[in-house]
Amino acid sequence: MQMARSLIYVASNEAPCGLEKVREVVSKIPGIFDVDANHVNSLLAIDYDQDRATLAQIRRAIREACGDGARS
């Protein structure tokens, strides 16, 4: 297991449904241990196992969390 922590900025146009919805979706990815949402700075702090989850998977989940309205 390779633990990692990433901070990802989520612009409002990437998540028109809201940062909390994105946090919920990302937290369901296998290998994600914790996701904290900072609504003031539009940041997600994500603790995850790099052997089970990748940044590419996380970013894709962020894009897809709000449906077709999300852009990156």
Side-chain angles (χ1 to χ4, degrees):
M1 178 170 35
Q2 262 192 302
M3 290 289 295
R5 174 169 255 223
S6 291
L7 296 175
I8 299 177
Y9 174 74
V10 182
S12 60
N13 66 327
E14 288 182 296
C17 60
L19 196 58
E20 191 59 30
K21 172 70 175 175
V22 173
R23 187 196 67 74
E24 290 173 16
V25 170
V26 170
S27 69
K28 293 178 183 175
I29 298 171
I32 301 292
F33 297 114
D34 190 37
V35 182
D36 291 320
N38 181 319
H39 297 276
V40 174
N41 296 321
S42 300
L43 287 173
L44 291 178
I46 305 167
D47 295 320
Y48 63 102
D49 178 355
Q50 288 181 314
D51 294 332
R52 297 181 61 209
T54 66
L55 277 177
Q57 286 176 306
I58 294 167
R59 291 182 191 281
R60 184 172 46 254
I62 291 168
R63 283 193 311 271
E64 295 173 355
C66 298
D68 292 343
R71 301 261 187 262
S72 68

